[in-house]
Amino acid sequence: MRVAIVGYPNVGKSSLVNRLTQSREAVVHETSGVTRDRRELETDWNGRRLTLIDTGGIDLSDADPLTTSIAEQAQAALLDADVAVLVVDAQAGQRPGDDEIADLLRRWSGPVLVAANKVDSPRDIPQASEFYGLGLGEPLAVSAAQGLGTGDLLDAIVENGPGADEELVEDEDLIRLAIIGRPNVGKSSLLNAFLGFERVIVSDVAGTTRDPIDTELEFEGRSLRLVDTAGIRRAAKVSESVEYYTALRSQRAAERADVALVVCDAADGVTSQDLRIADLAMRSGCATALVLNKWDLTSGDEFDIDAQRQVVLRKLRLRPKVLTASAKTKRNVQRLLVEAVSLADRRRHRIPTPELNKFLGDIVQIRQPPAKQGHRLKLLYGAQIGVAPPRFSIQVNSRNRVTRDYAYFIENRLRERYGLDGIPLIIDFAERKQRRRAEA
């Protein structure tokens, strides 16, 4: 069941969503207008699976383009919902903005519940009765901060919703693709270009996106879940506490993704912050590629893409690819999805043990293992012991003879041989003692 949580700015919608889902996924801040795009969070109640759609505050009297976009996103959430919950502020009382949203909801075809929030003690419950005037039925007194009345609200949602949903089993082949990067490099524009419609708000104001937004996409028979994330800035440049929390959510998005596209501004080239973000993604286990977006604003004759790729090769151990694209003109947008699918497949690929041991034999022929105190390192046997990301175990005669330089040499040759550029991989060197056969 899908439930749209709507209301005037700063009435506590995101706090209520966090309470109902028992999480802290939705960004909450005392500043009004923190939530801008619609965001979906899963929960369950008495065996029913619920998808709560957290939306930005609707102020129909504000003509600001960004405010208008937020309202359009909230109205789009209603089109996808089975039940709507109008959140109002019981402490502030009924306001003109509540009346305007209620008028919109009365014309909506689905069931509507009124949640009078900020009723933080039983003696404040009578305050909720003021909202009978909205003409949407009996208001329910709730407190996102204290949890009062939230069980009754969930009961009412289940009672007014459609029949029990069938449990959905997530596709094992689903690819989770995170779109991350500095603020205002075109992440949301790129996501919209992938989808072919305006799913998330795009603005020239840096930091417009604050919550990660999950969106499903079918591409060439494969299922992808796209995550558009808030821009990550260096800690010294985070002037608002809200940016600090949204940056944390961007990092969490990378941690739950299979593939990350690190979006960079082609006009700036690959910056030191872009490299840090790519390293963050790869340390989170993501297969990663860098995307120089806004390529249409650069001159091919003046911009040296090979130089940018050399910078990445020198600075990032996992050697991710550097691709070019333009969300505005759609140039190479489909190619980015092809690369994302390929990265996901290679992240899950398993190398047969005989093939891996042949590779180790070739490595020794190319470059002899190091020797210490007259004793040489021997690569005895190798096997892949994990995928997503790939993990290998190589048995050696002595771990003390494994040098960092030779370990990196093996890792780089693995990437070259099996197309693992940009894919985190783990190599465990396990010592196996040689035993002499007992004579009969």
Side-chain angles (χ1 to χ4, degrees):
M1 183 193 310
R2 298 174 65 79
V3 184
I5 310 296
V6 299
Y8 198 70
N10 212 28
V11 295
K13 297 182 296 299
S14 295
S15 296
L16 184 59
V17 167
N18 283 342
R19 170 64 68 173
L20 296 178
T21 59
Q22 299 182 337
S23 72
R24 294 182 179 180
E25 288 297 316
V27 178
V28 176
H29 197 265
E30 62 188 8
T31 304
S32 65
V34 168
T35 302
R36 294 171 178 178
D37 290 298
R38 63 189 190 271
R39 168 143 166 75
E40 300 182 2
L41 295 171
E42 301 285 342
T43 189
D44 62 80
W45 182 251
N46 291 337
R48 292 297 303 277
R49 187 172 180 177
L50 306 177
T51 300
L52 304 185
I53 310 172
D54 185 24
T55 66
I58 303 174
D59 186 352
L60 298 176
S61 63
D62 191 339
D64 179 80
L66 183 57
T67 304
T68 302
S69 295
I70 293 170
E72 289 173 352
Q73 288 289 318
Q75 293 179 51
L78 289 172
L79 297 177
D80 294 337
D82 301 304
V83 177
V85 175
L86 171 59
V87 183
V88 293
D89 187 339
Q91 297 294 331
Q94 188 172 331
R95 295 176 290 187
D98 299 325
D99 293 324
E100 293 172 353
I101 302 170
D103 183 59
L104 173 69
L105 290 172
R106 280 194 293 271
R107 295 194 298 270
W108 185 59
S109 59
V112 180
L113 302 172
V114 178
N117 191 27
K118 305 184 183 180
V119 179
D120 296 332
S121 69
R123 67 174 179 272
D124 295 330
I125 291 177
Q127 294 177 349
S129 61
E130 178 180 353
F131 296 94
Y132 272 106
L134 296 175
L136 294 172
E138 180 182 0
L140 300 171
V142 299
S143 170
Q146 306 298 327
L148 186 149
T150 53
D152 293 337
L153 175 60
L154 287 167
D155 284 340
I157 290 172
V158 170
E159 181 181 343
N160 284 272
D165 297 334
E166 295 182 1
E167 290 295 325
L168 299 177
V169 179
E170 189 167 81
D171 185 358
E172 292 183 358
D173 293 329
L174 177 70
I175 299 170
R176 301 169 187 85
L177 172 59
I179 303 171
I180 62 178
R182 293 180 292 118
N184 214 25
V185 293
K187 299 183 298 299
S188 296
S189 296
L190 190 59
L191 183 144
N192 287 337
F194 286 152
L195 297 172
F197 62 91
E198 297 294 316
R199 169 60 179 87
V200 291
I201 297 171
V202 177
S203 171
D204 291 335
V205 179
T208 298
T209 303
R210 285 178 173 167
D211 282 313
I213 309 298
D214 286 11
T215 310
E216 305 292 332
L217 170 67
E218 291 290 325
F219 177 72
E220 295 185 351
R222 300 294 295 275
S223 298
L224 285 80
R225 178 173 295 158
L226 307 181
V227 180
D228 179 41
T229 60
I232 304 174
R233 298 185 183 182
R234 294 182 61 181
K237 294 188 177 181
V238 177
S239 57
E240 299 178 335
S241 60
V242 67
E243 288 190 27
Y244 169 75
Y245 290 111
T246 53
L248 287 182
R249 282 159 176 76
S250 293
Q251 293 179 32
R252 290 173 185 167
E255 290 169 358
R256 63 188 177 90
D258 304 309
V259 179
L261 294 180
V262 180
V263 184
C264 317
D265 190 326
D268 301 330
V270 179
T271 68
S272 57
Q273 179 66 352
D274 296 329
L275 293 170
R276 276 189 285 270
I277 294 170
D279 187 61
L280 163 74
M282 291 182 285
R283 283 190 283 107
S284 299
C286 282
T288 303
L290 283 79
V291 179
L292 289 170
N293 190 29
K294 307 181 185 180
W295 189 249
D296 55 298
L297 301 180
T298 66
S299 170
D301 296 333
E302 298 176 1
F303 193 91
D304 190 347
I305 182 65
D306 290 333
Q308 298 297 312
R309 288 171 174 151
Q310 288 303 314
V311 169
V312 171
L313 289 177
R314 287 197 307 270
K315 298 291 186 177
L316 295 177
R317 173 179 161 188
L318 274 62
R319 308 164 70 90
K321 288 185 178 180
V322 179
L323 309 171
T324 62
S326 170
K328 181 177 181 180
T329 66
K330 308 297 190 294
R331 173 179 171 177
N332 290 342
V333 166
Q334 295 297 301
R335 177 189 169 198
L336 295 182
L337 291 176
V338 171
E339 180 62 25
V341 170
S342 176
L343 282 168
D345 288 342
R346 281 177 277 152
R347 181 175 177 266
R348 299 170 179 172
H349 179 65
R350 185 178 292 276
I351 302 170
T353 299
E355 169 62 23
L356 184 61
N357 282 284
K358 181 179 183 301
F359 162 78
L360 292 178
D362 294 341
I363 282 291
V364 172
Q365 294 299 317
I366 295 170
R367 179 175 169 182
Q368 279 289 310
K372 287 186 178 180
Q373 298 177 342
H375 298 281
R376 189 169 297 281
L377 172 69
K378 294 181 180 179
L379 308 181
L380 303 174
Y381 179 80
Q384 184 172 350
I385 58 175
V387 295
R391 184 165 192 155
F392 303 91
S393 176
I394 299 177
Q395 295 192 14
V396 296
N397 61 335
S398 173
R399 288 189 61 191
N400 292 332
R401 296 172 197 162
V402 179
T403 63
R404 175 176 294 188
D405 181 61
Y406 200 72
Y408 284 169
F409 170 72
I410 295 174
E411 179 181 327
N412 290 335
R413 298 293 82 75
L414 261 175
R415 295 189 188 285
E416 288 180 4
R417 176 77 68 91
Y418 299 106
L420 298 177
D421 287 347
I423 298 174
L425 57 86
I426 304 165
I427 302 177
D428 299 321
F429 291 94
E431 184 172 320
R432 186 178 76 178
K433 295 181 179 179
Q434 299 292 308
R435 297 179 179 176
R436 294 181 180 178
R437 292 182 178 178
E439 294 183 2

